[in-house]
């Protein structure tokens, strides 16, 4: 049996939460390996909705859930999320939640800096969630970060605080802000430390034991490939690598552990915030898709931009992330349309492109080349077998499969866990 790595193959918000939850019920461990609490996953189980930002999706089903070292951890956001889920009847203990002791922390000063930068950026805004993700990653690579393991040695934190504050005080001065209040920061850390340390451990060691026992591990990615710091629509990207290869470095297991790569793909395209979007719809069709698809960010509540399916960017994402098969979500949102369109290429300065160029100016300037297909009036909602789908919906799925050069493994037909058509089992492939 294979382990499975799940990544988003568009700009995030592809419906990873439901698919990961569906897979997590059959896995022995679920691992978050990058990002932070800017990632929003919504699960609907037996009519109950669970909204997760930081915790791995397996936590709701009681599966061992691991926050890997590649994640940046806001300990206060973690505490709030744990308490909220416990209020919904979810049991969370150190038996089913483990946090990497070498995981870097998001601090209040990171949230401050994030907000100050965005407010001052004017037309150059990136569209961040304002939760301190980027500044925390900057401190990690700048070797200034305070990590989970440091919470057990706060009396010895002086030299690290010197490095951290020297950097942040200079930045804060540029925004006419006072220096970091070191005593207040230490007081906050002392208060939260016992809670976080209760889950902290060398998770690479625990995962090695799980793997050695032959158990199935599910690696849960956040955001999407087009938000990857290297391969996304730079600079309108997140601050981590979102591609499948990050699962190895961000969990402490080697690349041979990541197994089957499942790319989650929405049956149309959405993105939140600023940045290029070749197939964006600013008409009634786009508005209708957004309303039917409830396209609002789980974390921010911001309305998502909506457009036709872009086979070019998904094919590119699948190639970059070595996707084995895709899970196609929200096919039911397209029900009732007379016709549906798929972007098959771009025109740019009288040339035709079969890939998304790297330069931001070119990404904004490309014009989509569309292929139009007949829509379907029948409902796909709740279908649990391929035979239950309308003929034109089947043709649409088959055409997507051809254009992205990657097979469809799963089709999701509603937010409910069991409304899933299984064509290829990632755990058995």
């Amino acid at each position: 049996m294979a382990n499975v790595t799940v990544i988003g193959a568009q700009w995030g918000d592809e419906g990873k939460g439901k698919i990961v939850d569906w897979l997590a019920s059959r896995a022995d461990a679920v691992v978050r390996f990058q990002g932070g609490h800017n990632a929003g996953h919504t699960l609907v189980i037996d009519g109950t909705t669970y909204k997760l930002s930081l915790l791995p999706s397996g936590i709701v089903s009681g599966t061992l859930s691991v926050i890997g070292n590649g994640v940046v951890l806001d300990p206060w956001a973690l505490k709030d999320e744990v308490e909220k889920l416990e209020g919904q009847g979810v049991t969370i203990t150190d038996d089913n939640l483990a946090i990497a002791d070498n995981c870097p922390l998001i601090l209040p000063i990171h949230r401050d800096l994030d907000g100050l930068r965005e407010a001052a950026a004017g037309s150059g805004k990136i569209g961040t969630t304002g939760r301190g993700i980027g500044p925390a990653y900057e401190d990690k690579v700048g070797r200034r970060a305070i990590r989970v393991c440091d919470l057990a040695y706060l009396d010895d934190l002086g030299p690290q605080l010197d490095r951290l504050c020297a950097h942040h005080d200079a930045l804060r001065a540029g925004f006419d802000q006072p220096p970091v209040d070191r005593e207040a920061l230490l007081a906050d850390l002392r208060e939260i430390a016992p809670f976080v340390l209760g889950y902290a451990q060398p998770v690479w060691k625990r995962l090695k034991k799980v793997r050695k026992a032959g158990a199935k591990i599910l690696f849960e990615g956040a955001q999407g490939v087009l938000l990857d710091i290297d391969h996304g629509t730079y600079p309108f990207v997140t601050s981590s690598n979102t591609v499948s290869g990050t699962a190895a470095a961000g969990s402490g297991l080697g690349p041979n552990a990541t197994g089957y790569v499942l790319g989650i793909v929405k049956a149309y395209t959405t993105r939140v915030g600023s940045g290029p979007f070749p197939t964006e719809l600013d008409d009634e069709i786009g508005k209708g898709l957004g309303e039917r698809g409830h396209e609002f960010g789980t974390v921010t509540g911001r309305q998502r931009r909506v457009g036709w399916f872009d086979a070019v960017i998904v094919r590119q994402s699948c190639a970059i992330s070595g996707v084995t098969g895709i899970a196609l979500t929200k096919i039911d949102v397209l029900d009732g349309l007379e016709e549906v369109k798929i972007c098959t290429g771009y025109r740019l300065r009288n040339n035709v492109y079969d890939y998304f160029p790297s330069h931001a100016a070119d990404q904004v300037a490309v014009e989509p080349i569309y292929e139009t297909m007949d829509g379907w009036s029948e409902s796909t909602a709740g279908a649990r077998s391929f035979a239950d789908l309308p003929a034109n919906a089947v043709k649409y799925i088959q055409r997507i499969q051809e254009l992205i050069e990657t097979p469809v493994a799963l089709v999701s037909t509603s937010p409910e866990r069991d409304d899933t058509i299984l064509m290829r089992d990632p755990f058995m492939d």
Side-chain angles (χ1 to χ4, degrees):
M1 292 185 182
N3 294 331
V4 177
T5 298
V6 173
I7 53 103
Q10 292 160 307
W11 277 291
D13 306 310
E14 301 95 348
K16 292 185 291 296
K18 173 202 166 164
I19 301 300
V20 170
D21 173 64
W22 186 83
L23 291 167
S25 65
R26 303 163 63 229
D28 301 292
V30 182
V31 184
R32 275 284 310 272
F33 57 84
Q34 48 77 221
H37 64 307
N38 56 339
H41 291 171
T42 300
L43 315 181
V44 181
I45 304 171
D46 297 329
T48 300
T49 300
Y50 303 91
K51 293 184 180 292
L52 309 179
S53 297
L54 184 57
L55 292 168
S57 296
I59 198 71
V60 175
S61 59
T63 306
L64 171 61
S65 297
V66 175
I67 296 177
N69 58 275
V71 174
V72 283
L73 180 81
D74 183 322
W76 299 276
L78 173 70
K79 190 171 187 290
D80 288 345
E81 193 169 328
V82 166
E83 290 174 349
K84 183 177 180 180
L85 285 179
E86 287 178 335
Q88 291 184 279
V90 178
T91 300
I92 301 175
T93 70
D94 56 359
D95 285 330
N96 64 355
L97 176 62
I99 300 173
D101 56 3
N102 55 341
C103 192
L105 299 178
I106 298 175
L107 305 173
I109 58 175
H110 295 132
R111 295 194 298 271
D112 292 346
L113 182 57
D114 210 351
L116 290 167
R117 283 174 169 170
E118 280 289 276
S123 61
K125 285 184 178 180
I126 300 297
T128 76
T129 60
R131 298 187 171 222
I133 310 296
Y137 272 118
E138 290 175 34
D139 282 345
K140 174 184 176 178
V141 298
R143 295 166 291 184
R144 297 179 294 268
I146 295 173
R147 303 188 299 171
V148 168
C149 55
D150 295 322
L151 294 175
Y153 299 92
L154 291 176
D155 290 338
D156 302 322
L157 206 59
Q160 286 169 266
L161 276 178
D162 288 342
R163 288 196 300 274
L164 184 69
C165 292
H167 178 76
H168 280 266
D169 286 349
L171 293 174
R172 292 170 68 90
F175 291 108
D176 294 323
Q177 297 297 309
V180 175
D181 186 335
R182 292 172 58 143
E183 292 306 314
L185 177 58
L186 273 171
D188 288 342
L189 291 172
R190 289 187 197 283
E191 183 180 5
I192 199 70
F195 174 81
V196 179
L197 290 172
Y199 302 104
Q201 58 187 274
V203 298
W204 66 268
K205 190 174 180 180
R206 187 164 182 180
L207 288 172
K208 179 183 177 183
K209 184 178 180 180
V210 169
R211 189 182 178 209
K212 190 174 182 179
K216 298 187 291 291
I217 301 174
L218 179 62
F219 298 91
E220 178 183 5
Q223 291 93 35
V225 173
L226 291 168
L227 294 174
D228 184 275
I229 188 68
D230 289 311
H231 301 288
T233 48
Y234 193 90
F236 303 100
V237 292
T238 193
S239 298
S240 61
N241 286 110
T242 60
V243 295
S244 61
T246 314
S251 66
L253 289 177
N256 62 343
T258 52
Y260 187 107
V261 180
L262 183 67
I264 314 300
V265 178
K266 197 175 286 185
Y268 48 101
T269 311
T270 63
R271 81 170 299 174
V272 172
S274 306
F277 188 170
T279 65
E280 185 171 11
L281 293 169
D282 293 318
D283 56 14
E284 288 303 310
I285 294 177
K287 182 180 178 182
L289 290 175
E291 290 174 351
R292 289 198 298 277
H294 305 291
E295 296 298 349
F296 295 90
T298 301
V299 170
T300 63
R302 290 183 293 181
Q303 186 170 356
R304 297 173 186 143
R305 300 154 63 191
V306 179
W308 291 118
F309 186 86
D310 190 331
V312 181
I313 59 174
V314 174
R315 182 173 61 241
Q316 189 163 321
S317 293
C318 288
I320 290 168
S321 252
V323 172
T324 315
I326 70 162
L328 190 68
T329 67
K330 290 199 169 184
I331 187 74
D332 54 302
V333 176
L334 299 179
D335 292 353
L337 293 177
E338 291 185 6
E339 62 181 29
V340 289
K341 295 184 180 182
I342 301 176
C343 174
T344 60
Y346 304 126
R347 286 192 181 89
L348 178 63
R349 292 187 287 272
N350 298 318
N351 294 315
V352 174
Y353 283 66
D354 63 355
Y355 67 95
F356 202 32
S358 296
H359 198 277
D362 290 341
Q363 291 176 348
V364 171
V366 296
E367 298 178 5
I369 300 170
Y370 286 118
E371 179 178 306
T372 302
M373 301 181 68
D374 291 333
W376 53 91
S377 57
E378 309 96 317
S379 175
T380 63
R384 297 186 181 183
S385 73
F386 216 61
D388 294 334
L389 295 175
N392 284 343
V394 172
K395 291 178 183 178
Y396 182 72
I397 294 168
Q398 290 175 335
R399 185 57 177 146
I400 285 175
Q401 190 171 240
E402 293 169 359
L403 289 169
I404 67 173
E405 300 172 0
T406 307
V408 175
L410 304 169
V411 179
S412 171
T413 59
S414 94
E416 288 287 347
R417 176 195 285 176
D418 294 331
D419 290 342
T420 303
I421 301 170
L422 178 63
M423 299 165 68
R424 292 175 175 84
D425 190 336
F427 277 123
M428 300 299 294
D429 203 306

